[in-house]
Amino acid sequence: MREKPRLSRLTAIVTQLQSKRIVSATYLAEKHGVSIRTIYRDIRTLEKSGIPIITEPSKGYSLMEGYQLTPVMFTEQEANALITAEQIVLKNKDQSLTENYHSAVTKIKATLRHSQKEKTELLTDRIQYRENPKAEKTSDYLMALQSAIIHFQLLEINYLSLQGERTQRIVEPFAVYSTQGNWLLIAFCRLRNGFRAFRVDFIENIRRQHATFEAHGMSLEDYFRLCREQLKKQP
C-alpha cells in the first residue's frame, strides 16, 4: 500500500475516530500502510492542533464524547448537484478520478441531514448518465498528473503514440483537459524541446522525479491562443 501524504492521513484519522467508538493504533497503521510509531506521532500532532483525543491504555483512541467537526450544510439544490455530478464522474474513463470523487462524495453525504440522505438516495436511483455505459476505465493517472502540476514536479513517462511508437520522456506537466471523452496532458517535453499534448490513456507508466521546474508564466488560455496562432500559420 502506498503511503498517503501526511495531511490526507491526518484528516482520514480524524474521520475514522469520528466513525468508531475506539480505534487501535494497529488498525490505523494497517489502514494507512505506516508504522505504529508513525501513528503515535500523528496522534500527538492532532492533539497539539486541538483535537480532543482520549487514549485508552491497551485499547486505542477515541474522540471526547460530544466532539464533532462542524458539518457543512448543503441546500437541496446543492446536494442534488453533487449527486448528479457523481453519476457523471463515475462514468469517466480515469480510475483515479472516479475512486477519489466517490470517496469525497461519500464523506460529503455523511454530513447531510437524515431527510436529505433519503432524497439523495432516491435521486441516485433516478439518474442515469449514458455516456460510456459500460463505465470502461482506460487510465489511472489523472490524480498523479494533477499533483505534479500543482507541485511543479518533473515526470518521466513511457508513452505509446497513435502510430505505435514507444518513447521515454521527461516532461514538465502544465495542464490537463478533456475532449471527446479522453483526458490529455499538456506538458513541456524535454525530448522534443516544446509543448506537446499526450493522451493520458496512452501513458504506460509514470515515475515522479525529485527535481522540480520553474513555472511557465502563462495560463491555459495563453497556451490555446498560441495553438490557434500556429494553426493559422500552417498552409
Side-chain angles (χ1 to χ4, degrees):
M1 179 186 296
R2 290 179 297 178
E3 183 176 339
K4 293 181 180 179
R6 193 175 190 222
L7 180 59
S8 298
R9 189 173 67 247
L10 291 172
T11 303
I13 288 173
V14 173
T15 300
Q16 285 151 358
L17 288 172
Q18 286 185 294
S19 66
K20 294 179 179 292
R21 163 67 183 85
I22 191 165
V23 182
S24 70
T26 300
Y27 170 83
L28 292 172
E30 292 175 352
K31 188 75 173 176
H32 297 286
V34 297
S35 67
I36 292 179
R37 187 178 298 275
T38 296
I39 295 299
Y40 292 160
R41 289 197 295 267
D42 288 346
I43 294 296
R44 287 196 295 271
T45 298
L46 291 171
E47 289 173 334
K48 289 178 182 178
S49 70
I51 306 295
I53 297 175
I54 298 173
T55 301
E56 298 189 26
S58 302
K59 293 184 178 180
Y61 305 102
S62 62
L63 286 178
M64 181 182 294
E65 187 174 356
Y67 176 81
Q68 287 285 333
L69 294 177
T70 304
V72 178
M73 303 305 293
F74 294 95
T75 66
E76 181 174 298
Q77 289 76 17
E78 289 170 339
N80 291 348
L82 287 168
I83 298 306
T84 303
E86 180 184 26
Q87 299 308 305
I88 296 172
V89 172
L90 290 178
K91 295 296 179 67
N92 192 271
K93 293 181 180 180
D94 188 86
Q95 184 72 24
S96 66
L97 173 61
T98 58
E99 286 182 353
N100 281 277
Y101 189 88
H102 180 68
S103 175
V105 84
T106 298
K107 293 175 183 178
I108 291 171
K109 288 178 181 177
T111 70
L112 299 176
R113 296 185 296 271
H114 287 297
S115 60
Q116 284 182 307
K117 291 177 182 178
E118 293 176 359
K119 293 174 182 177
T120 58
E121 289 172 3
L122 172 63
L123 188 59
T124 298
D125 292 336
R126 302 295 174 87
I127 293 178
Q128 188 174 96
Y129 183 66
R130 297 303 299 274
E131 188 74 22
N132 190 18
K134 295 182 180 179
E136 295 175 338
K137 304 304 176 190
T138 58
S139 68
D140 194 21
Y141 292 128
L142 188 59
M143 296 297 100
L145 293 173
Q146 290 179 344
S147 177
I149 287 169
I150 63 176
H151 293 292
F152 302 100
Q153 188 173 31
L154 279 175
L155 296 176
E156 180 183 314
I157 66 173
N158 291 349
Y159 189 71
L160 176 64
S161 71
L162 276 170
Q163 294 73 33
E165 177 189 5
R166 280 188 170 85
T167 55
Q168 187 177 76
R169 307 171 184 232
I170 300 295
V171 301
E172 302 172 6
F174 173 68
V176 289
Y177 72 99
S178 179
T179 179
Q180 298 179 341
N182 297 308
W183 283 101
L184 283 85
L185 165 69
I186 301 170
F188 184 87
C189 176
R190 294 189 173 182
L191 177 65
R192 305 303 187 200
N193 194 33
F195 280 94
R196 295 290 187 272
F198 303 94
R199 273 190 44 171
V200 174
D201 56 335
F202 287 2
I203 297 176
E204 296 183 321
N205 192 31
I206 290 177
R207 286 177 291 278
R208 299 189 184 198
Q209 306 295 291
H210 294 298
T212 58
F213 59 91
E214 294 294 327
H216 295 104
M218 66 177 183
S219 67
L220 182 55
E221 186 52 44
D222 291 334
Y223 169 82
F224 287 133
R225 185 165 53 252
L226 289 172
C227 290
R228 289 192 294 268
E229 292 172 356
Q230 290 174 0
L231 285 173
K232 289 179 181 179
K233 294 177 182 178
Q234 293 180 4

